[in-house]
């Protein structure tokens, strides 16, 4: 296995097969959860052992902001809904007026 390690000895990437540019060979014991739970920085290479980083905090994702195009589409959708509502209101008024003139 090859590991990529930063200056703080945090493991930022690994390769079970093949090699990584700047990677170091690791032949020691691999924790069972390492490959399943791997996140860059979650593990450290300490005294030639892979250990959990006690200072690791999972990255939080910032909420995605709609693009300008998405905002435009959302506004157009609102406009279409308002126009449909207006058309239905006018149809109801026309039907009411038609009933009144049919008498």
């Amino acid at each position: 296995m090859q590991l990529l390690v930063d200056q703080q000895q945090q493991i930022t990437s690994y390769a079970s097969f093949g090699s990584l540019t700047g990677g170091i060979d690791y032949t020691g014991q691999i924790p069972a959860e390492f490959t399943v739970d791997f996140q860059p920085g979650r593990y450290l290479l300490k005294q030639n052992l892979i250990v959990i980083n006690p200072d690791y905090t999972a990255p939080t994702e910032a909420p995605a902001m709609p693009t300008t195009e998405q905002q435009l589409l959302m506004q157009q959708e609102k406009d279409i809904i308002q126009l449909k509502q207006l058309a239905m209101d006018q149809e109801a008024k026309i039907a009411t007026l038609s009933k009144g003139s049919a008498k």
Side-chain angles (χ1 to χ4, degrees):
M1 172 180 276
Q2 283 220 323
L3 304 175
L4 268 181
V5 180
D6 65 12
Q7 283 105 3
Q8 292 84 28
Q9 298 301 302
Q10 296 178 3
I11 300 171
T12 58
S13 188
Y14 75 94
S16 297
F17 302 100
S19 62
L20 297 168
T21 303
I24 56 172
D25 289 323
Y26 180 76
T27 56
Q29 192 168 4
I30 301 166
E33 70 280 356
F34 178 77
T35 56
V36 177
D37 294 336
F38 182 81
Q39 292 289 323
R42 181 169 183 183
Y43 294 93
L44 299 171
L45 185 61
K46 201 171 198 178
Q47 298 174 351
N48 206 31
L49 294 173
I50 295 175
V51 296
I52 292 179
N53 181 354
D55 299 326
Y56 175 77
T57 55
T60 56
E61 290 187 29
M65 296 298 294
T67 64
T68 304
E69 185 177 80
Q70 290 170 330
Q71 290 175 352
L72 179 62
L73 289 172
M74 289 187 293
Q75 184 59 49
Q76 287 176 342
E77 186 176 356
K78 287 179 188 176
D79 292 345
I80 290 169
I81 291 170
Q82 287 175 343
L83 289 171
K84 283 182 178 181
Q85 184 64 45
L86 181 61
M88 289 189 318
D89 290 346
Q90 288 178 345
E91 287 175 7
K93 288 178 183 177
I94 291 170
T96 302
L97 290 172
S98 295
K99 285 180 187 177
S101 64
K103 292 183 183 180

